[in-house]
């Protein structure tokens, strides 16, 4: 019944203008497991396209979209994983292990140290060429020598600007989430995950060993590979003072495909507030790596004016984005 409600709600909010959009609208909302895809394809093709009732079975792990029967009918494209076809608004409590082949993150950490933006520290520290006299050090030295022979100075050294990373852990980004978490571990920054709820994972990612850090993240993130509620999660972040303060003046990186199933207005309002708080708001999506990608969904179209959109899906592409900062 919940899937039927999702399908009817999607038809009301996004009326399909062609057979391809109708196919994906029905498939995303009605199909809940991989084994049901061939049956769904057969029923859809038989009812809407006049195909034979018993199509050839698809190979294991693959699904066949219905073939067009008319000259002007567009065939639904077979979309790859991570494009949001499994996006859902329903909350699903689920934990997963983020382990995998160990990566050499030393180069990524060096790139972060080298390319992250710098800012002048507010505290003055001893500096030979500083613009301010350090009277205490000057007088302390004079008491030992009997006269003022050196003028000690203080300056404001450069420090790395604070970094905040928000990681989408919904089902549409299942294959990219482990690398996104490794990136946050290498960056040694404030980190949050969001799917259907917001979770702070900064303390878990401070472990010296990346495998142990990811294991602790797995223990606290309860919405892994579940639905997508970007708007409510970001709204909770910007409306919680102790969270919002961590974005003030920081470089904020959102690692998400931006496929929001809920109200795009709430997502747009939260992103606009986050952009005003932060120094820069970067939105890195695996979909943006495709040369033909266009942010045409209502959620992404509403926030384009507040974000800097780029593509990243693994450690290599994340490192490329860091080097472009």
């Amino acid at each position: 019944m919940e899937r039927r409600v999702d399908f009817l709600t999607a038809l009301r909010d996004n009326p399909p203008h062609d057979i391809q959009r109708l196919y994906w609208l029905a498939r995303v909302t009605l199909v809940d497991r991989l084994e049901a895809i061939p049956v769904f394809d057969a029923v859809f093709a038989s009812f809407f396209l006049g195909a034979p009732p018993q199509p050839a079975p698809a190979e294991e792990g693959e699904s066949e979209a219905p073939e067009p029967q008319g000259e002007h009918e567009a065939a639904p494209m077979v979309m790859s994983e991570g494009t949001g076809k499994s996006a859902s608004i329903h909350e699903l409590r689920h934990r997963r292990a983020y382990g995998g082949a160990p990566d050499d993150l030393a180069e990524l950490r060096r790139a972060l140290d080298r390319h992250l933006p710098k800012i002048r520290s507010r505290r003055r520290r001893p500096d030979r060429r500083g613009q301010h006299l350090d009277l205490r050090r000057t007088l302390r030295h004079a008491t030992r020598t009997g006269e003022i022979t050196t003028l000690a100075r203080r300056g404001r050294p450069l420090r790395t600007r604070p970094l905040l990373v928000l990681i989408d852990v919904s089902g549409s980004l299942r294959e990219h989430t482990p690398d996104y978490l490794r990136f946050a571990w290498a960056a040694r920054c404030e980190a949050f995950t969001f799917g259907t709820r917001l979770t702070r994972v900064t303390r878990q990612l401070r472990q010296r060993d990346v495998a142990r850090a990811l294991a602790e993240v797995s223990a606290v993130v309860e919405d892994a590979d579940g639905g997508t509620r970007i708007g409510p999660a970001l709204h909770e972040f910007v409306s919680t003072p102790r969270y919002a303060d961590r974005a003030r003046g920081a470089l904020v990186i959102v690692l998400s495909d931006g496929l929001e199933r809920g109200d795009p207005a709430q997502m747009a309002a939260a992103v606009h507030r986050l952009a005003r708080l932060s120094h820069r708001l970067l939105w890195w999506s695996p979909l943006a790596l495709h040369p033909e990608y266009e942010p045409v969904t209502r959620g992404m179209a509403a926030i384009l004016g507040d974000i800097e959109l780029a593509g990243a899906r693994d450690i290599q592409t994340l490192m490329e984005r860091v080097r472009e900062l």
Side-chain angles (χ1 to χ4, degrees), residues 209-273:
D209 180 65
V210 63
R212 182 177 177 183
L214 295 185
E216 293 202 9
V217 171
S218 302
V220 298
V221 176
E222 298 183 351
D223 55 343
D225 304 339
T228 306
R229 292 178 182 170
I230 302 177
L234 295 184
H235 174 73
E236 179 183 352
F237 180 88
V238 298
S239 60
T240 305
R242 68 179 184 276
Y243 292 163
D245 284 345
R246 304 177 191 279
R248 201 175 302 276
L251 175 66
V252 179
I253 301 177
V254 180
L255 301 172
S256 171
D257 52 15
L259 298 173
E260 172 62 290
R261 287 287 307 278
D263 184 8
Q266 187 178 28
M267 174 179 170
V271 170
H272 181 67
R273 171 64 175 162

Side-chain angles (χ1 to χ4, degrees), residues 2-302:
E2 289 183 352
R3 294 194 295 275
R4 294 182 185 182
V5 172
D6 281 350
F7 177 61
L8 295 176
T9 303
L11 283 178
R12 181 196 65 192
D13 296 341
N14 302 280
H17 56 76
D18 56 25
I19 194 68
Q20 177 182 357
R21 188 164 294 237
L22 175 62
Y23 169 82
W24 285 114
L25 199 65
R27 176 164 155 177
V28 165
T29 54
L30 296 177
V31 179
D32 63 339
R33 61 187 186 278
L34 187 63
E35 306 81 50
I37 293 178
V39 178
F40 171 82
D41 288 349
V43 173
F44 187 94
S46 176
F47 188 86
F48 289 102
L49 304 176
Q54 294 182 352
E59 296 181 5
E60 184 178 359
E62 298 182 354
S63 63
E64 296 181 357
E67 296 294 335
Q69 300 296 317
E71 180 181 358
H72 302 289
E73 292 178 349
M77 297 182 299
V78 179
M79 302 172 71
S80 61
E81 291 295 327
T83 57
K85 64 183 180 181
S86 57
S88 171
I89 60 174
H90 299 298
E91 183 170 352
L92 173 66
R93 286 201 171 191
H94 178 255
R95 290 187 174 93
R96 63 169 289 193
Y98 295 106
D103 297 314
D104 183 9
L105 300 176
E107 185 178 356
L108 174 60
R109 181 161 285 182
R110 287 194 295 269
L112 287 163
D113 292 339
R114 187 179 307 115
H115 295 282
L116 285 179
K118 302 294 191 295
I119 187 175
R120 289 287 178 184
S121 174
R122 293 183 179 180
R123 295 184 178 181
R124 297 190 179 104
R125 301 184 182 278
D127 187 352
R128 286 186 183 181
R129 300 180 181 180
Q131 298 179 354
H132 303 273
L133 289 177
D134 190 341
L135 295 180
R136 286 188 177 182
R137 290 175 54 226
T138 300
L139 294 176
R140 192 181 303 120
H141 185 267
T143 57
R144 292 196 299 264
T145 60
E147 58 183 3
I148 298 178
T149 58
T150 303
L151 293 178
R153 295 183 175 274
R154 292 188 301 169
R156 296 171 57 194
L158 290 174
R159 63 179 178 88
T160 303
R161 184 177 287 275
L163 175 63
L164 169 67
V165 178
L166 301 169
I167 304 171
D168 190 339
V169 295
S170 60
S172 60
L173 290 172
R174 176 181 176 83
E175 61 179 310
H176 309 300
T177 303
D179 281 341
Y180 287 168
L181 290 171
R182 293 186 183 99
F183 170 79
W185 176 86
R188 294 168 289 192
C189 61
E190 277 290 336
F192 291 78
T193 65
F194 64 90
T196 56
R197 61 179 62 188
L198 184 71
T199 307
R200 183 170 181 255
V201 293
T202 305
R203 184 177 61 83
Q204 287 74 21
L205 290 175
R206 284 177 180 165
Q207 300 294 329
R208 297 185 62 181
D209 180 65
V210 63
R212 182 177 177 183
L214 295 185
E216 293 202 9
V217 171
S218 302
V220 298
V221 176
E222 298 183 351
D223 55 343
D225 304 339
T228 306
R229 292 178 182 170
I230 302 177
L234 295 184
H235 174 73
E236 179 183 352
F237 180 88
V238 298
S239 60
T240 305
R242 68 179 184 276
Y243 292 163
D245 284 345
R246 304 177 191 279
R248 201 175 302 276
L251 175 66
V252 179
I253 301 177
V254 180
L255 301 172
S256 171
D257 52 15
L259 298 173
E260 172 62 290
R261 287 287 307 278
D263 184 8
Q266 187 178 28
M267 174 179 170
V271 170
H272 181 67
R273 171 64 175 162
L274 186 59
R276 294 182 61 185
L277 286 172
S278 61
H279 168 64
R280 290 172 64 189
L281 178 55
L282 310 180
W283 195 289
W284 293 350
S285 166
L287 303 181
L289 289 171
H290 197 283
E292 298 181 1
Y293 169 74
E294 294 182 5
V296 295
T297 60
R298 292 190 300 167
M300 290 301 296

